[in-house]
Amino acid sequence: MREIMTAKIYPSFWTDSKVENLTPNEKLALLWLLTNETMTCIGTCPVSMRRFRSDTGLVNDDFESMVGHMGNAIIMSNGVVWVRNYIAHQFGPNLERNSILGAMRNTVKNLKDRLLEEDILKEYPVLRDPTRSEEHTSELQSRFGISYAVFCLK
């Protein structure tokens, strides 16, 4: 059984400059994303546009517009959205002392999108699995780089 992640939305959410500049529909789209039952502890969420439309009564363009207006605060990759500052807002700056750290590392390790995984690990290096050696990581990056180059050439 999957554990449900409960997001904390603080009053300061409404005074964030990016949120203030969103339309009402875009604000609802953002709230839907942040409170979505598929949101993980690292702020990733597979997005079903059908579910979005059903839950909110909005259209796909509202979601896409919100993502665009949020700039680099929200990263979309292969149908998965990552809310870049979700971890910081939900768990604070001292992740090393947080009891959820192990679950966060497992969630990162289980991501299917390696580019998204690397983005998350650059932002939050403490989430890197301590059992993975640097040599193993370099080997994976090298293999991925080669396959990515071949993909681009085809």
Side-chain angles (χ1 to χ4, degrees):
M1 185 173 134
R2 187 178 176 282
E3 209 170 301
I4 301 289
M5 181 68 211
T6 304
K8 296 180 236 172
I9 308 285
Y10 296 99
S12 59
F13 169 83
W14 299 106
T15 57
D16 180 277
S17 62
K18 288 184 178 182
V19 174
E20 284 183 324
N21 291 320
L22 297 176
T23 68
N25 283 359
E26 291 169 339
K27 289 177 184 176
L28 177 56
L30 180 57
L31 282 172
W32 176 84
L33 176 63
L34 294 173
T35 60
N36 192 296
E37 67 182 13
T38 61
M39 180 63 79
T40 68
C41 59
I42 60 170
T44 58
C45 178
V47 174
S48 161
M49 294 314 291
R50 190 181 100 212
R51 180 70 188 262
F52 169 74
R53 290 188 309 271
S54 173
D55 289 350
T56 64
L58 300 176
V59 296
N60 294 8
D61 288 347
D62 293 317
F63 186 85
E64 292 163 9
S65 178
M66 176 274 297
V67 170
H69 284 121
M70 292 301 291
N72 67 353
I74 295 180
I75 308 296
M76 217 168 154
S77 179
N78 298 317
V80 175
V81 174
W82 175 44
V83 180
R84 191 177 215 121
N85 58 4
Y86 186 88
I87 294 170
H89 282 283
Q90 297 301 309
F91 304 106
N94 298 319
L95 288 177
E96 298 88 1
R97 297 185 197 141
N98 200 306
S99 61
I100 199 167
L101 182 60
M104 294 170 119
R105 285 179 174 152
N106 283 336
T107 304
V108 170
K109 189 169 43 175
N110 292 325
L111 284 172
K112 292 176 178 39
D113 187 325
R114 293 298 148 223
L115 292 176
L116 185 58
E117 176 185 1
E118 283 306 311
D119 282 347
I120 292 169
L121 292 174
K122 281 179 197 167
E123 190 82 19
Y124 298 98
V126 70
L127 298 181
R128 192 169 297 281
D129 185 349
T131 61
R132 269 192 182 174
S133 69
E134 286 301 317
E135 180 180 304
H136 176 72
T137 303
S138 297
E139 179 185 335
L140 285 175
Q141 287 172 337
S142 173
R143 284 184 185 172
F144 183 76
I146 291 168
S147 63
Y148 181 75
V150 170
F151 175 75
C152 289
L153 291 173
K154 286 187 176 185

